[in-house]
Amino acid sequence: MHPRNMTLYSVFVRNHGGTFQAVARDVPRIRDLGVDAVWLLPIHPIGRQNRKGALGSPYAIADYRAVNPEYGTLEDFCALCDTVHRHGMKLLIDVVYNHTSPDSRLLQEHPEWFYRRPDGAFGNRVGEWSDVVDLDFSKEALWAELIDTLKQWARVVDGFRCDVAPLIPLSFWIRARQEVEAVRPGCLWLAESVEPAFVRDLRNRGMTCHSDAELYQTFDVSYDYDVYGDFLDYVRGKTTLDTYAAALERQESQYPASYVKLRFLENHDRPRMAHLFPDRLTRLNWLAWTFFQKGMTLLYGGQEWEVAHRPSLFDADPVPMDGPAPLCDFVRRLAHMKKDPLFSQGVYSFRACPGDLLLARWEGEGRQALGLFSLKGKAGVAQVPLEDICLPNLLTGAPVRVESGLWATDGQPVILMTPSHAQEEKTC
């Protein structure tokens, strides 16, 4: 499956049942959402020195080659992998190679592989990450150890989400991908790219920090943090929809034609969708738009329950997932739509319309998918490139009429899938 057709589901084991076995029990439900791959936040033991909170951040790793005993055994993890695979999905794990915990196995065995401050003490170059120490990628032996570790895990998993990937030499990632491919052909590589301001700041401090365009030399997918600031500015009323749409449009020319962005409304580092959009109709429009965009879609565990609270990374903070998920059917329809080859092979376009309406279209082989998204959840009318037609809204099944090239919405998100030559047909 092309990455643009995929839906990725993110799980923090500690707050998603607490164990590998608990996550395994939830796999059938996750697959029923239409999910194609599961990404687990770091599964490894967490360091004790300089811990944040009672349990520590999963990104302060003590041993890359082991699993966190709080989650279960290695056998439990492999059983979870098997369960995910039996349900027709891929499994990705987090790779955190910029730093380790200060009491990591690597630091104890190879202190020469770590960055030191001018005073000779171990440390890190991003001050707020007080619970980690940085690795030193000028040491060739470190590369061999880390790549060998990747190959160990690639024997059971299908891909890697690479934490702060831009901070690590691109030549390392290129070599790692080449060597892992021999173990896991078709391994999926997802880069956590970073915001433009972060890139500039680190470069000004003399540090390595690659752009998204550079990362596409070896990664299949990168985050869309390059436009996240534009997204927030629009949501918070600081800019217009035209400005946000222009930021998205720049991606079409800045990156390779094959580029794949990870589209999300929330993740473990950012506010929840339900927090950003207290109005339910508004968030339904944004969720539908997220799936409709060019790229892979990310769901963060609990998003389908419209959870507004972002779980802590440092303490036990279980995601409330009791009872049926309110957005289950809505997400399922969108994930099924996303699998249509049109969403990876078609020609993609979009434009901002008056009244905070966003009109988007995929075209290919005589077919079209059109989406009209009211990003403020209000009624409006958009001019569209269609003659008089009547088609069902893919999201509800209700008939939608387009007359004289005008498409009215009551504020609900609408997606139409036209058959061949639908511009000339009246289907209802």
Side-chain angles (χ1 to χ4, degrees):
M1 180 182 295
H2 194 286
R4 286 181 187 158
N5 296 113
M6 294 176 65
T7 299
L8 177 66
Y9 190 92
S10 174
V11 170
F12 182 16
V13 176
R14 177 193 295 162
N15 293 330
H16 200 107
T19 66
F20 296 130
Q21 290 182 351
V23 175
R25 290 192 293 270
D26 198 34
V27 164
R29 184 197 64 82
I30 293 172
R31 181 66 185 102
D32 190 54
L33 289 172
V35 170
D36 304 291
V38 176
W39 152 39
L40 302 180
L41 270 66
I43 60 169
H44 309 296
I46 296 169
R48 294 188 175 277
Q49 186 175 336
N50 295 347
R51 266 192 180 182
K52 293 182 177 181
L55 298 177
S57 168
Y59 291 91
I61 292 172
D63 189 349
Y64 290 129
R65 292 185 180 267
V67 299
N68 188 340
E70 297 172 22
Y71 296 168
T73 65
L74 180 60
E75 290 72 22
D76 293 332
F77 173 72
C78 290
L80 170 58
C81 293
D82 290 342
T83 301
V84 170
H85 291 152
R86 282 200 310 274
H87 284 80
M89 296 184 290
K90 296 181 181 293
L91 186 73
L92 283 67
I93 60 171
D94 232 312
V95 172
V96 188
Y97 276 0
N98 180 68
H99 46 255
T100 75
S101 69
D103 52 356
S104 68
R105 179 184 64 83
L106 277 190
L107 191 143
Q108 294 172 23
E109 296 177 0
H110 293 282
E112 72 277 10
W113 290 352
F114 284 79
Y115 163 78
R116 291 179 184 267
R117 298 192 184 105
D119 63 2
F122 296 113
N124 69 79
R125 288 159 287 192
V126 181
E128 62 265 32
W129 299 346
S130 59
D131 56 344
V132 298
V133 291
D134 286 359
L135 288 158
D136 180 356
F137 276 82
S138 69
K139 306 302 171 61
E140 181 70 17
L142 170 65
W143 291 33
E145 167 64 19
L146 296 181
I147 292 173
D148 190 61
T149 304
L150 285 172
K151 290 191 286 188
Q152 169 192 317
W153 293 110
R155 293 183 176 91
V156 290
V157 304
D158 308 287
F160 302 107
R161 179 268 189 189
C162 300
D163 190 63
V164 290
L167 277 63
I168 294 167
L170 188 62
S171 51
F172 169 82
W173 292 124
I174 292 172
R175 175 177 156 188
R177 177 161 189 156
Q178 291 171 343
E179 294 196 29
V180 167
E181 189 68 15
V183 176
R184 175 68 64 173
C187 182
L188 184 65
W189 293 81
L190 165 61
E192 185 203 20
S193 48
V194 297
E195 296 90 337
F198 194 38
V199 174
R200 290 194 299 273
D201 177 59
L202 295 190
R203 288 178 174 180
N204 288 341
R205 293 160 56 188
M207 295 173 58
T208 295
C209 197
H210 300 297
S211 67
D212 289 30
E214 291 172 298
L215 292 172
Y216 280 121
Q217 294 180 51
T218 191
F219 284 92
D220 300 299
V221 188
S222 75
Y223 272 43
D224 67 353
Y225 278 153
D226 56 318
V227 296
Y228 188 78
D230 301 277
F231 158 73
L232 283 183
D233 285 345
Y234 169 62
V235 170
R236 292 169 177 168
K238 296 180 180 179
T239 58
T240 66
L241 179 56
D242 286 318
T243 303
Y244 169 58
L248 290 171
E249 184 63 38
R250 285 195 295 272
Q251 294 180 329
E252 294 295 300
S253 58
Q254 287 178 334
Y255 305 129
S258 60
Y259 86 96
V260 183
K261 278 289 180 180
L262 186 69
R263 306 296 185 181
F264 56 85
L265 293 175
E266 61 182 60
N267 62 47
H268 67 273
D269 284 324
R270 295 294 181 266
R272 288 281 199 177
M273 171 186 74
H275 174 79
L276 286 173
F277 308 109
D279 175 66
R280 192 168 196 266
L281 189 55
T282 300
R283 65 175 173 263
L284 290 181
N285 275 275
W286 277 100
L287 184 57
W289 164 235
T290 302
F291 272 89
F292 198 90
Q293 288 185 74
K294 180 188 286 187
M296 178 186 292
T297 305
L298 174 68
L299 293 171
Y300 182 36
Q303 187 171 353
E304 65 272 41
W305 271 274
E306 300 179 276
V307 174
H309 167 68
R310 183 177 69 190
S312 169
L313 279 180
F314 313 124
D315 299 286
D317 192 4
V319 175
M321 298 185 294
D322 299 325
L327 292 182
C328 179
D329 290 341
F330 191 74
V331 168
R332 187 184 297 115
R333 286 174 180 263
L334 289 165
H336 178 73
M337 171 202 74
K338 191 79 172 175
K339 293 174 178 54
D340 191 307
L342 188 63
F343 286 83
S344 57
Q345 301 170 16
V347 176
Y348 174 62
S349 61
F350 57 90
R351 61 181 171 87
C353 302
D356 291 290
L357 300 179
L358 198 148
L359 177 67
R361 176 167 61 169
W362 287 89
E363 299 177 273
E365 298 184 352
R367 302 171 55 226
Q368 293 189 65
L370 292 107
L372 185 60
F373 309 100
S374 178
L375 299 183
K376 300 292 186 182
K378 299 178 181 178
V381 178
Q383 190 168 11
V384 297
L386 289 175
E387 300 299 330
D388 293 0
I389 62 167
C390 180
L391 292 167
N393 182 357
L394 181 143
L395 300 175
T396 64
V400 175
R401 294 185 182 276
V402 176
E403 297 179 343
S404 302
L406 296 177
W407 183 353
T409 172
D410 61 359
Q412 297 281 346
V414 183
I415 296 175
L416 307 180
M417 300 286 288
T418 70
S420 299
H421 310 298
Q423 297 91 329
E424 303 173 2
E425 299 176 3
K426 296 183 179 180
T427 58
C428 61

